[in-house]
Amino acid sequence: MISEQGRILERLLSGDFICEISDEDGWRYLKQSANFEAVDQYLSTLNRSLSSAADGQVYFAAYRTLGEGERKVLSSQFQEIAAGLLPLVEWLLLVQQSSGSDVPVTQGSTIRSNELQTTIEDTPAYKEQLAKIARYRLFNSNSTEVVGQLNLVFKRLTELGYLLRPNPDKQIYIATGKIDYLYEVLRFIDETEALSLAEQAESAIAQGSLL
């Protein structure tokens, strides 16, 4: 039977983000300094380090040093993240606006798709926004109906780890810590906007953060 540390290492090495929402047991395990150090030490043998974002609310594995192979992988990952930023940001803004909240979606935020669907269907501007978002390559929806577009967006964001659906029988989703990580990526890109994507990726490594 795999140990808790082994389970967490598998998740980290597969690219998962561990937070209180996505994996509460794993998150609590890593909050213990001895466990954090043990996991980080193991990852160091694979040229990885245990990194955190959002003031320790989300953990992930990052490269320690960059060789040519790691540089190529990192550049590809960073470009992939950058390409998905616009649809993700527009989606988060749509959810915030449609809920009438002044507070952005963050880890632990609850999104009820049925309520969101009703609001969007009753508001032409939101309906137009959703249609635009759903057509982005990240979602690639061909549906012309709000329900079809929403179902695909929620499914994709759950697959990507930004949302968690605790009960498959209910249309309720919870934002994970990866959302907060996304905000940090946005801040980082804003601070390094004069750099190319490749340079931003290497700068992220130099700071021991992000990827």
Side-chain angles (χ1 to χ4, degrees):
M1 184 176 179
I2 190 170
S3 66
E4 179 67 354
Q5 184 182 100
R7 183 186 71 81
I8 290 170
L9 283 165
E10 282 191 352
R11 292 204 62 182
L12 291 168
L13 289 170
S14 69
D16 285 352
F17 287 70
I18 294 178
C19 70
E20 189 174 9
I21 302 300
S22 64
D23 184 348
E24 184 176 358
D25 290 340
W27 177 76
R28 292 191 182 283
Y29 183 91
L30 293 175
K31 292 292 281 185
Q32 301 296 316
S33 58
N35 295 335
F36 183 101
E37 291 173 8
V39 170
D40 186 56
Q41 183 174 3
Y42 183 89
L43 288 173
S44 70
T45 65
L46 302 172
N47 190 28
R48 302 289 200 282
S49 64
L50 180 57
S51 297
S52 65
D55 297 323
Q57 294 306 303
V58 58
Y59 296 96
F60 56 97
Y63 284 114
R64 281 184 181 269
T65 58
L66 287 178
E68 189 59 33
E70 290 85 1
R71 187 172 284 105
K72 288 180 179 178
V73 171
L74 185 62
S75 179
S76 174
Q77 289 179 339
F78 204 82
Q79 288 180 36
E80 188 175 308
I81 289 175
L85 284 178
L86 184 57
L88 285 168
V89 169
E90 289 187 7
W91 165 252
L92 290 169
L93 286 173
L94 175 60
V95 172
Q96 182 181 344
Q97 291 168 350
S98 62
S99 67
S101 173
D102 294 329
V103 180
V105 176
T106 57
Q107 177 180 310
S109 295
T110 298
I111 305 172
R112 292 174 169 79
S113 65
N114 289 338
E115 293 180 5
L116 184 61
Q117 178 184 337
T118 299
T119 302
I120 291 175
E121 287 178 335
D122 290 343
T123 312
Y126 293 160
K127 194 172 181 179
E128 186 177 328
Q129 280 179 257
L130 175 63
K132 177 189 173 187
I133 293 167
R135 286 194 299 268
Y136 280 115
R137 188 174 63 177
L138 181 66
F139 304 118
N140 201 28
S141 173
N142 294 317
S143 177
T144 58
E145 301 296 325
V146 169
V147 62
Q149 294 165 352
L150 278 178
N151 285 342
L152 182 60
V153 169
F154 275 114
K155 179 176 182 292
R156 185 73 176 123
L157 292 179
T158 301
E159 291 172 347
L160 291 171
Y162 291 103
L163 298 176
L164 181 72
R165 187 179 182 182
N167 188 336
D169 296 325
K170 295 184 178 180
Q171 297 295 320
I172 299 175
Y173 297 81
I174 301 176
T176 71
K178 194 172 181 181
I179 292 284
D180 297 72
Y181 166 81
L182 175 66
Y183 292 139
E184 293 206 357
V185 171
L186 287 169
R187 283 193 292 270
F188 175 81
I189 290 178
D190 182 59
E191 292 168 359
T192 59
E193 61 181 344
L195 302 180
S196 68
L197 284 177
E199 289 171 327
Q200 287 176 336
E202 293 196 27
S203 179
I205 282 295
Q207 295 184 23
S209 62
L210 298 182
L211 296 173

